[in-house]
Amino acid sequence: MGTITFVEHDGTPHQVELEDGSSLMELATNHGVPGIDGDCGGEASCGTCHVIVDDAWITTTGTRTDLESQMVEMSPECGPNSRLACQLRASPALDGLTVHLPEFQM
Amino acid sequence: MKRDRVIVVGAGHASAQLCVSLRQGGWDGEIVLVGDEPSLPYQRPPLSKTFLHGTTTLSDLLIRGPEFYEKEDVTFRHARVTGIDREAGTVALDDGDALSYDRLVLCTGARPRPLDVPGADLPGIHALRDAADIEAIRGTLRTARRAVIVGAGYIGLEAAASLRKLGIEVAVLEVADRVLQRVTAPEVSAFYDRVHREEGVDLRTGVGVAGFEGDGHVRAVRLTDGTKIPADLVVVGVGVLPNVELARDAGLAVENGIVVDEHGRTDDPRIFAAGDCANHYDARYGTRIRLECVANALEHAKAIAGAICGKQKPISALPWFWSDQYDLKLQIAGLSTGHDEVVLRGNPADGRSFACFYLADGRLIAADCVNRPKEFMFSKRAITQELSPDRALLADPDTPLISLLQTPARSAP
């Protein structure tokens, strides 16, 4: 049903098959994408699945929630398109999505 | 050609992370995960919440799906390890098999501390540690009317919140004179005390359990002050004991957990220990510590994978914890042991959002943050940077925390 691309900080892309209903954090960790930890299992508690949504896609994914803002805004790598991957649900609408990973998770 | 083999004993958070980190670190030998529960490693924190409520299944909680283990060539064995032969380099399984190892990682976890009082083995009295415990509790929820929780630590309080949410009457008993006494400041204890009472919990501190009564099923809890509370469900959360027996019987050093160095290595260079069962030397705190939390298990696993793959990466991450109760999201950064001062941001006596910062000699060493993710993320950075923030600014809600950091982070527009 499509793919999502995670781009590591050094530019290495990882294409992952999109599974409807999974979070982007689960997709990344289940496919061994380095740079996304998801230590808390998807409760928006740890802030270790910070991703930066590609400009072309931010209107489709939507911007971050207030909770996500509080978690990611202390990161020096936080930008306007920063999100927590555990709060992004995969759906057919996200086929072709690209997200970028920060150099460090907090 | 025979491939080298890592055997991981136990299948929890540390074990799953080991599989990830060993492969990412370049280990191309065999990985065998031996677990005494039938499931692949699963997330434990949601057990007392969504899993208890029946809104998630065990397969939803798997830390990595089965396809991950297949892809990464990890073999899962459902068995219990009964002994280690260090000379032969083998472990014995309860199904009669023996497996040879080149590296062995003990992730044996911890088990609930039993309550040594009359009637403690009556049906209806449960621990809260693994999926089977919760499944047993779930089976009683349709008929349970009145639950008694023994112990007001994080596990007990989370269980209380979960059961209240299901409309069950809940009493919580704590032998200490305040909830969370072992881990938080009195201000934070008072906050949790108030919230649980506001949510309808019958909270009793400074009282112990003398025994349980029932006829084939628990019916009442007898307290040390002579009172009796009716109960048809009891959850005991009075701490855990590290599972050190395998290590001890193999002659490895054991002292409040399996003794390991900053790389997770025991006194046998081929054997490591990770997670709740391991007592590691921590350079940040300059002492040995044994922690019971997910973040610690993951950090141990990463350090051990580094040592096995020849990419040394000593245990160094700041410990952190979280606990969800009702509408409260508590995030804790660092260990507050040894603090000599507390600074509050927000008011714990009112409402449901504040942060409690712990200082030692003026330096920030830990923070309890209730519905304050920003304060939590700030604290993680500030503690790591060993900052001594100005107390007045730390307490001032109008001072942006980001301005107190050494290298101020760029704030979003």
Side-chain angles (χ1 to χ4, degrees), chain B residues 112-121 125 150-151 209 212 221 234-238:
Chain B
R113 184 189 296 274
L115 260 191
D116 186 21
V117 296
D121 54 356
I125 302 177
V150 184
V209 173
F212 299 101
V221 184
V234 172
V235 179
V236 179
V238 293

Side-chain angles (χ1 to χ4, degrees), chain B residues 147-339:
Chain B
V148 171
I149 315 283
V150 184
Y154 289 119
I155 292 288
L157 293 183
E158 286 178 10
S162 257
L163 292 172
R164 281 303 296 143
K165 219 166 167 178
L166 294 172
I168 295 170
E169 273 184 64
V170 175
V172 174
L173 311 175
E174 170 56 53
V175 72
D177 60 9
R178 58 182 173 94
V179 305
L180 301 173
Q181 186 183 43
R182 204 167 58 91
V183 282
T184 60
E187 291 87 341
V188 181
S189 294
F191 169 82
Y192 276 94
D193 188 294
R194 171 172 66 82
V195 168
H196 279 274
R197 289 182 200 280
E198 284 171 1
E199 298 287 346
V201 170
D202 173 6
L203 179 60
R204 306 183 191 200
T205 53
V207 67
V209 173
F212 299 101
E213 295 177 4
D215 41 3
H217 194 276
V218 67
R219 295 286 168 230
V221 184
R222 223 169 354 93
L223 309 187
T224 45
D225 64 5
T227 51
K228 206 194 272 192
I229 309 181
D232 42 24
L233 167 65
V234 172
V235 179
V236 179
V238 293
V240 294
L241 302 168
N243 292 324
V244 299
E245 289 73 10
L246 268 182
R248 195 191 54 210
D249 294 349
L252 298 169
V254 163
E255 199 188 327
N256 180 29
I258 303 166
V259 174
V260 297
D261 66 11
E262 68 271 34
H263 302 288
R265 203 185 293 262
T266 67
D267 43 8
D268 180 329
R270 294 202 295 168
I271 305 181
F272 300 78
D276 291 10
C277 69
N279 183 323
H280 76 267
Y281 177 77
D282 195 286
R284 182 192 313 276
Y285 296 101
T287 181
R288 302 201 139 275
I289 48 177
R290 189 179 69 77
L291 299 172
E292 296 150 7
C293 68
V294 170
N296 178 63
L298 302 181
E299 178 66 5
H300 281 183
K302 290 172 189 170
I304 292 169
I308 290 177
C309 298
K311 298 168 184 166
Q312 305 271 4
K313 190 200 154 292
I315 296 165
S316 61
L318 183 75
W320 70 276
F321 315 80
W322 79 97
S323 174
D324 293 342
Q325 301 168 38
Y326 308 111
D327 55 350
L328 311 177
K329 186 183 193 68
L330 169 65
Q331 294 160 294
I332 302 165
L335 302 177
S336 60
T337 316
H339 73 273

Side-chain angles (χ1 to χ4, degrees), chain B residues 114-150:
Chain B
L115 260 191
D116 186 21
V117 296
D121 54 356
L122 277 169
I125 302 177
H126 302 271
L128 212 162
R129 175 77 189 172
D130 54 31
D133 293 330
I134 306 296
E135 277 160 357
I137 295 173
R138 228 161 45 182
T140 71
L141 290 180
R142 241 160 36 93
T143 52
R145 302 290 302 278
R146 167 120 202 170
V148 171
I149 315 283
V150 184

Side-chain angles (χ1 to χ4, degrees), chain A residues 51-88:
Chain A
V51 296
I52 297 134
V53 176
D54 199 82
D55 278 336
W57 282 90
I58 194 68
T59 50
T60 314
T61 62
T63 50
R64 59 180 173 263
T65 63
D66 179 51
L67 170 62
E68 289 172 71
S69 286
Q70 296 200 44
M71 292 296 294
V72 298
E73 283 177 7
M74 286 288 160
S75 165
E77 299 177 78
C78 180
N81 294 357
S82 284
R83 300 278 324 248
L84 291 179
C86 69
Q87 301 302 303
L88 282 164

